[in-house]
Amino acid sequence: MVKIALIGFGNVGKSFTRILVNRVTELNKLGLEPCVIGILASRGGLINDECIGSRALIDLTNKGLYSAPNFKTIELRDLINLKPDVAVVSIPPSYHTGEPNLTIYRLLISEGISVITADKTGLALAYGELINESRNKGVYLGFTATVMAGTPVIQLLKGLRGRIVKNIEGVLNATSNYVLTLVENGLTMSEAVKRAIEEKIAEPDPAIDLGGLDAAAKATILANVMGINASLRDVDVQSMLNLKDDYIKESARKGIRVKQVASVDLTRRLISVKPMEVPAGSVIGSITGNYNALIIRLNDGKEITIIGPTGPAEATAEVMFSDLLEYADSCLTMGKRIKG
Ligand SMILES: NC(=O)c1ccc[n+]([C@@H]2O[C@H](COP(=O)([O-])OP(=O)(O)OC[C@H]3O[C@@H](n4cnc5c(N)ncnc54)[C@H](OP(=O)(O)O)[C@@H]3O)[C@@H](O)[C@H]2O)c1
């Protein structure tokens, strides 16, 4: 049995729960039975050390946590006391402090609980510490969903370990594509930003998607995966909010697209997020909608290009489920016993 705690029960947490119920056979193939022992949101949650059943889990995803008859004002410590094997954390943290996630990750890891998360800021602020602590405690830290969500680019970069990569460059924030396309098609930047926020495509704080913080956090995680010990605070971030509408429109007329480009220069150990002009027909220039792209340049002049979908919540949760399978697989490989 694998004992699971769900921390955060919003779009991603609920999607993950549905996948867990619907794809249970994938875990069964590894000889494991999942057992959700608790769910926590901001005002409390549910615990049941005999496992919350599949039907109850689906009911909770449909009706929400707060109307459940057994809802209580529990805290993280109540979940930890039930000794889960793994916690699936999906809470949006502050881009400035990484909280409450950093405190939650540190506590879980110190208690020997593995963590799977889609939240990027905590890792972007304290990657080295979290990786080292998880290694010291022998727990799994799964964060494949933090960058390009629906496309497991982190696994690709891990597969390039030992190779010499000169730089990586790409579009890691899909909202920036959406807003820039709206401006190319006639809206002003402020109209486009307002629309993206109203349609819930952009975060309410424009500094996150369009100011470049989201892409900077993702680029920082990729840099760390590639062996650069960096923090979100080291990134050279230039906002696209100050771009002139006419400049974007005029560039588009000339076959040039302005894109929010994230780069990691592995030789000079520099990370940046900046608006850049790129040819409309290039890989980065042709990315639209909910897609991201990453070009990985190797030292022999060859390139690996990956284009794939990012969110929404369902795609993110799918990748977190893949992390859960990897966690279960690694436990079996190491002969580590999951609680029965
Ligand atoms: N949505 C996507 O497409 C997507 C894609 C990639 C990555 N992500 C990342 O996934 C994370 C979750 O996103 P989401 O869309 O699921 O967010 P969401 O819908 O806003 O849900 C957040 C959940 O976290 C809970 N929460 C907040 N503070 C908490 C605390 N201190 N303790 C326990 N629970 C707390 C909230 O509780 P209440 O229910 O009480 O509000 C809610 O259940 C974010 O970091 C986001 O960046 C999301």
Side-chain angles (χ1 to χ4, degrees), residues 8-12 40-42 66 90-93 100 118-120 149 312-313 316:
F9 201 61
N11 298 315
V12 173
L40 184 68
S42 67
Y66 296 133
S90 50
I91 302 175
D119 314 323
K120 52 223 86 111
T316 306

Side-chain angles (χ1 to χ4, degrees), residues 329-338:
D329 223 5
S330 67
C331 289
L332 294 176
T333 307
M334 292 190 305
K336 196 161 143 185
R337 199 170 163 273
I338 300 178

Side-chain angles (χ1 to χ4, degrees), residues 304-327:
I304 298 172
T305 300
I306 182 162
I307 297 173
T310 171
E314 294 74 21
T316 306
E318 297 234 14
V319 178
M320 295 171 88
F321 185 68
S322 300
D323 274 354
L324 179 64
L325 292 175
E326 188 184 61
Y327 155 79

Side-chain angles (χ1 to χ4, degrees), residues 221-236:
I221 294 173
L222 296 184
N224 276 281
V225 170
M226 300 304 290
I228 292 184
N229 182 11
S231 154
L232 174 56
R233 299 198 175 98
D234 302 327
V235 184
D236 175 9

Side-chain angles (χ1 to χ4, degrees), residues 61-288:
T61 64
N62 292 329
K63 296 178 190 157
L65 204 53
Y66 296 133
S67 58
N70 40 356
F71 171 81
K72 289 193 181 118
T73 52
I74 56 162
E75 295 178 356
L76 181 61
R77 178 49 67 185
D78 299 299
L79 279 186
I80 289 175
N81 288 344
L82 295 180
K83 300 197 180 307
D85 297 294
V86 57
V88 176
V89 184
S90 50
I91 302 175
S94 148
Y95 273 81
H96 302 290
T97 64
E99 298 295 353
N101 301 48
L102 271 177
T103 301
I104 294 173
Y105 300 149
R106 286 177 177 134
L107 191 57
L108 291 166
I109 293 169
S110 72
E111 295 281 346
I113 299 165
S114 292
V115 173
I116 292 171
T117 189
D119 314 323
K120 52 223 86 111
T121 319
L123 278 144
L125 286 168
Y127 184 95
E129 175 208 324
L130 295 171
I131 293 286
N132 287 340
E133 281 311 300
S134 60
R135 284 182 184 151
N136 288 342
K137 296 298 282 187
V139 299
Y140 174 83
L141 176 57
F143 56 94
T144 314
T146 55
V147 184
M148 282 176 79
T151 306
V153 68
I154 287 174
Q155 303 293 12
L156 171 66
L157 289 180
K158 283 182 179 172
L160 287 169
R161 272 191 190 136
R163 307 264 300 270
I164 300 172
V165 177
K166 276 169 52 186
N167 63 61
I168 55 180
E169 186 175 75
V171 172
L172 300 176
N173 177 284
T175 306
S176 67
N177 291 332
Y178 184 68
V179 168
L180 286 165
T181 307
L182 288 179
V183 177
E184 284 170 359
N185 291 337
L187 293 195
T188 65
M189 178 63 87
S190 55
E191 285 165 349
V193 171
K194 189 164 170 274
R195 183 187 294 181
I197 293 173
E198 277 166 8
E199 290 175 353
K200 297 198 188 308
I201 290 171
E203 296 281 348
D205 175 359
I208 294 178
D209 290 308
L210 311 166
L213 280 176
D214 174 77
K218 292 167 174 169
T220 306
I221 294 173
L222 296 184
N224 276 281
V225 170
M226 300 304 290
I228 292 184
N229 182 11
S231 154
L232 174 56
R233 299 198 175 98
D234 302 327
V235 184
D236 175 9
V237 187
Q238 289 179 23
S239 173
M240 52 171 252
L241 285 163
N242 310 321
L243 294 178
K244 299 268 179 289
D245 313 331
D246 287 346
Y247 160 67
I248 297 167
K249 287 173 191 146
E250 189 54 32
S251 300
R253 274 194 285 275
K254 290 188 215 152
I256 290 167
R257 300 196 85 191
V258 180
K259 288 283 181 186
Q260 184 197 63
V261 178
S263 314
V264 180
D265 181 332
L266 287 125
T267 315
R268 293 190 295 154
R269 306 174 85 79
L270 295 176
I271 312 171
S272 64
V273 174
K274 298 178 183 175
M276 275 175 61
E277 292 180 3
V278 290
S282 64
V283 170
I284 292 179
S286 56
I287 285 299
T288 54

